[in-house]
Amino acid sequence: MAKDPVCGMFVEKKPDSIGYTKNGKEYYFCSTHCLNEFREPEKELKKLKIKIAVSIALTIPILFLSLPHMLPEQFGHALPTELLHNSSYIMLILATPLQFWVGWQFYKAFWDGFKTRASNMDTLIAIGTSAAYLYSAAVTIVPNFFPFKSVYFETSAVIITLILVGKLLETRTKEKASDAVRKLLDLQPRKAKLLRTSKSPSGQILEEESEIPIEEIKEQDLLIVRPGESIPTDGIIIEGASTLDESAITGESIPVDKSIADEVIGATINKTGLLKIKASKVGQDTVLSQIVKLVEEARTGKAQMQRLVDQSAK
């Protein structure tokens, strides 16, 4: 099972599943809408804002026109039948683009889920709003075939509008989380000073210092960190003493004294002395990488209510 990086839904890794490769990593998505949002987030956010504006503009008059239909029966009879009938036609005209253009993403997600035999909250939205819209349209066009004259255009319109507004708020929250991840990653230096030892023909041990990308650091490598530089990766001090600023990682504002055999955390700042450290954790095993991973999981995770809805849809 793979996790959709956009909505957090679990997706089976099948040949017909929606996949996308980025930076050598394979991602799977529950729908093409999530795929597009992953590939072009700014473009999809702009589309979402336009749809919300159109949805609100159409929902407000539908709500006003639906008020006579929502009155108790004794009051409804006091209103002209022609007024009720004409308002239903107006609501039908307003609700149609809202249902099938603004809400098209729910139908698309429903179809993608149907093809992969999966369902989620979008499935319930597509079925529920379609039922309200189609019944109301039938009552409006052929009212004599139905004993009740009430229509429910406002129900489908309000549901679609509120869901889209919720998606916008969720996107904003995810953007803030992504900014936090980027700021964390910016703390890590791009280069590290690697110390290599070798023997001269006379048997003398020589130390050679070279600058390498942090991606090339391996466990047990010896690294040199001078005052004012950032620690490139998690390690253990084997020579030297200094004070380290760990505030960006631990939140501790007071610099911490470190000496031989003490552990250091990648992305913290060496304040005073020269340090020689031995790399103990690299890549995805470092403290910084684990923090970034937790933030990413929280960003793509679902609330308990969303998980309940997805389980109900199945």
Side-chain angles (χ1 to χ4, degrees):
M1 295 288 286
K3 190 176 183 181
D4 189 322
V6 175
C7 67
M9 181 180 176
F10 288 99
V11 183
E12 291 187 25
K13 296 181 180 180
K14 297 179 179 179
D16 57 347
S17 296
I18 303 171
Y20 179 72
T21 303
K22 183 178 181 181
N23 297 329
K25 186 177 180 181
E26 187 75 18
Y27 297 92
Y28 290 88
F29 303 87
C30 66
S31 65
T32 53
H33 176 72
C34 286
L35 172 60
N36 293 334
E37 187 173 337
F38 181 78
R39 295 172 60 184
E40 300 176 311
E42 294 181 358
K43 183 178 179 181
E44 290 300 313
L45 179 60
K46 186 177 180 180
K47 286 182 181 179
L48 179 59
K49 289 179 179 179
I50 294 173
K51 286 186 176 182
I52 289 175
V54 173
S55 183
I56 292 174
L58 294 173
T59 300
I60 291 174
I62 290 175
L63 283 173
F64 278 109
L65 291 170
S66 65
L67 290 176
H69 296 271
M70 291 188 287
L71 291 173
E73 189 176 354
Q74 60 269 28
F75 294 104
H77 286 315
L79 297 171
T81 305
E82 185 178 353
L83 174 62
L84 293 174
H85 190 57
N86 290 338
S87 65
S88 296
Y89 271 108
I90 297 172
M91 283 190 287
L92 174 61
I93 294 171
L94 294 173
T96 299
L98 196 156
Q99 183 71 34
F100 297 107
W101 180 73
V102 176
W104 179 249
Q105 66 186 63
F106 301 117
Y107 290 104
K108 208 171 181 182
F110 169 73
W111 178 246
D112 289 334
F114 178 78
K115 289 189 294 184
T116 57
R117 296 181 181 180
S119 56
N120 56 12
M121 189 172 69
D122 291 332
T123 306
L124 298 180
I125 296 170
I127 294 174
T129 57
S130 296
Y133 172 84
L134 293 174
Y135 173 80
S136 301
V139 170
T140 301
I141 296 171
V142 284
N144 295 329
F145 284 89
F146 297 89
F148 304 104
K149 309 302 179 186
S150 299
V151 294
Y152 303 97
F153 290 114
E154 79 287 347
T155 301
S156 60
V158 169
I159 289 174
I160 291 174
T161 302
L162 291 179
I163 293 296
L164 292 180
V165 171
K167 283 183 177 292
L168 178 62
L169 296 176
E170 182 183 9
T171 302
R172 292 294 191 190
T173 303
K174 288 181 178 180
E175 280 185 347
K176 291 181 180 179
S178 297
D179 289 340
V181 170
R182 282 193 290 270
K183 288 178 181 178
L184 282 173
L185 292 174
D186 288 341
L187 295 174
Q188 195 170 32
R190 297 289 177 261
K191 301 284 186 179
K193 293 181 175 65
L194 178 66
L195 190 65
R196 291 187 175 94
T197 58
S198 60
K199 284 186 177 181
S200 66
S202 61
Q204 185 180 4
I205 297 177
L206 301 176
E207 291 185 342
E208 181 183 357
E209 183 180 322
S210 60
E211 194 173 66
I212 62 171
I214 61 168
E215 292 81 12
E216 296 181 9
I217 300 175
K218 299 176 182 178
E219 289 187 22
Q220 305 304 315
D221 278 350
L222 297 180
L223 306 170
I224 293 293
V225 184
R226 292 181 170 79
E229 295 179 344
S230 296
I231 307 293
T233 190
D234 295 1
I236 299 173
I237 298 175
I238 62 172
E239 187 178 316
S242 181
T243 56
L244 269 62
D245 181 0
E246 298 181 343
S247 58
I249 303 297
T250 64
E252 176 57 60
S253 59
I254 300 175
V256 181
D257 292 330
K258 298 284 184 177
S259 58
I260 295 175
D262 287 338
E263 294 184 352
V264 293
I265 304 172
T268 56
I269 301 173
N270 181 19
K271 301 289 286 185
T272 54
L274 177 69
L275 295 177
K276 184 187 292 186
I277 67 172
K278 180 186 290 185
S280 58
K281 294 179 182 178
V282 296
Q284 298 300 316
D285 296 328
T286 63
V287 172
L288 180 63
S289 295
Q290 292 299 314
I291 293 173
V292 170
K293 183 180 178 181
L294 290 173
V295 174
E296 285 289 349
E297 287 179 353
R299 186 179 71 86
T300 59
K302 289 192 171 188
Q304 184 177 358
M305 182 60 69
Q306 287 179 299
R307 290 194 294 268
L308 180 62
V309 171
D310 286 343
Q311 289 174 359
S312 302
K314 296 177 182 179

